[in-house]
Amino acid sequence: MNEQEYNNYCRIAEVIELAQQDCMKQPKLEEIAKKIGLNSADFQKLFNDWAGVEPAKFLEYINVQYAKQILSNSQSKLFETSSKTEPLGNARLHNQLVEIVEMTPEEYQNDCKNLDINYSFTKSLFGLLLVASTHKGICYLGFSDNKQIVFSDLQKRFSKAKFIQQADNIQQNALQIFTTDRSKINKIKLHLKGSYFQLSVWKALLQIPMGSLLSYKDIAEIIQKPKSARAVGTAIGSNPISFIIPCHRVIQSSGAYGGYMWGTIRKTAIIGWEAAKVNSLDID
């Protein structure tokens, strides 16, 4: 991953945090730029390089009013779909690109004692991440600015597995999901353990197109458990595969983004970046 893209994300995260802290004051872009040590021209370049849009447009994409609009549009498309088990719109491409392979009872028994897991750290468009894989596919992809925190989360999920710090082809293929050109990506296999309910929720998340947003209640409708919105939220919160399984595209019905295992600033950044790409480049 390009080092500059990672550095740009760190600056973008600062901007989002400042904008959210001072949202009632409606700070001017010049004031935010000054706070992170950039002049107006460099501030413009930062957003153009990382998101492909001007700062003002990006901040528009991450406000509550825009989220409400996208949520309403996405819900309209959801209810226009003849079968809620079918992917929505351009999500079909993503759904075809990603395959969930469920772990067998033998693989996850005794806290995955007999499972070998490769893992590696890399810098990405959305900060430092840890990606881990078994011989069957990706079993974990998590963001954190602290290597030990994210590695501890991986260990808790597979407490007795054997961990080997090394990158492999499975990981490298999956990481191409962060590029805008996905034509060269082989099918990304996710090797996951979870309850039937959790897996049904994670599969439903693959149906949400890039640039779209749905609520927890909407996901409950998709899995045909309309009264399980709270349980859906819990299942989303336990999703072990960030970005590829797009749990960041689920927000509260009010338009508020809500929580995110890997940080609300990061969730906001991803939603804004995807909105910018969809609106400016029409990427699926």
Side-chain angles (χ1 to χ4, degrees):
M1 180 59 64
N2 188 303
E3 182 78 16
Q4 189 58 51
E5 290 177 335
Y6 168 79
N7 293 333
N8 286 347
Y9 165 76
C10 294
R11 285 287 183 85
I12 295 291
E14 286 186 74
V15 172
I16 292 171
E17 187 170 15
L18 288 168
Q20 291 181 344
Q21 287 175 352
D22 297 337
C23 62
M24 299 302 294
K25 301 178 184 178
Q26 296 183 331
K28 294 182 179 179
L29 292 176
E30 293 81 0
E31 295 174 357
I32 297 177
K34 186 176 180 180
K35 285 183 178 181
I36 67 169
L38 293 180
N39 60 38
S40 179
D42 288 339
F43 191 63
Q44 296 279 337
K45 186 176 187 303
L46 169 68
F47 279 85
N48 282 323
D49 288 349
W50 185 80
V53 295
E54 301 293 313
K57 180 60 68 174
F58 181 85
L59 293 179
E60 176 187 323
Y61 289 149
I62 62 173
N63 67 37
V64 174
Q65 290 73 26
Y66 183 82
K68 286 182 178 179
Q69 176 187 338
I70 297 302
L71 184 63
S72 178
N73 293 342
S74 301
Q75 289 170 333
S76 297
K77 292 178 182 178
L78 170 65
F79 293 116
E80 287 172 1
T81 305
S82 59
S83 171
K84 295 184 177 63
T85 60
E86 287 297 318
L88 305 177
N90 62 7
R92 289 186 178 88
L93 294 177
H94 186 76
N95 208 37
Q96 292 168 0
L97 184 64
V98 179
E99 176 185 352
I100 291 180
V101 179
E102 299 177 24
M103 286 192 181
T104 65
E106 292 76 18
E107 287 170 330
Y108 62 71
Q109 67 182 353
N110 298 320
D111 295 323
C112 302
K113 182 179 179 180
N114 298 317
L115 201 63
D116 289 347
I117 296 177
N118 292 338
Y119 72 95
S120 61
F121 295 95
T122 187
K123 293 178 177 179
S124 78
L125 271 169
F126 308 111
L128 183 69
L129 66 80
L130 184 156
V131 57
S133 55
T134 69
H135 66 292
K136 289 186 179 180
I138 300 296
C139 63
Y140 183 89
L141 193 155
F143 294 102
S144 178
D145 299 319
N146 184 302
K147 288 184 177 182
Q148 187 54 52
I149 289 176
V150 71
F151 183 61
S152 294
D153 184 44
L154 171 64
Q155 288 179 307
K156 289 176 183 177
R157 293 171 184 268
F158 308 96
S159 60
K160 294 184 180 179
K162 178 182 178 182
F163 296 97
I164 306 156
Q165 186 170 4
Q166 67 177 26
D168 58 32
N169 291 334
I170 292 175
Q171 296 169 20
Q172 294 305 309
N173 178 63
L175 290 174
Q176 292 185 72
I177 197 75
F178 293 103
T179 65
T180 53
D181 180 9
R182 300 178 178 177
S183 61
K184 298 179 181 178
I185 305 177
N186 296 320
K187 176 160 285 193
I188 299 172
K189 293 188 177 181
L190 307 178
H191 193 200
L192 306 181
K193 67 170 182 173
S195 67
Y196 176 83
F197 184 83
Q198 287 174 320
L199 289 163
S200 67
V201 170
W202 300 339
K203 290 175 182 177
L205 298 178
L206 296 177
Q207 300 181 28
I208 310 175
M210 188 183 208
S212 295
L213 299 169
L214 290 178
S215 71
Y216 299 96
K217 183 179 179 181
D218 295 329
I219 300 300
E221 293 282 352
I222 290 176
I223 66 171
Q224 300 180 0
K225 300 284 185 181
K227 296 182 179 181
S228 66
R230 186 178 296 274
V232 163
T234 300
I236 289 175
S238 63
N239 168 34
I241 309 289
S242 63
F243 196 75
I244 297 176
I245 297 181
C247 54
H248 59 274
R249 296 176 191 164
V250 183
I251 65 173
Q252 297 175 5
S253 298
S254 64
Y257 286 172
Y260 187 56
M261 182 189 305
W262 296 285
T264 55
I265 297 296
R266 185 171 280 108
K267 180 176 185 177
T268 303
I270 296 174
I271 289 174
W273 183 87
E274 290 191 337
K277 295 305 178 185
V278 167
N279 285 298
S280 63
L281 300 177
D282 193 26
I283 294 174
D284 291 328

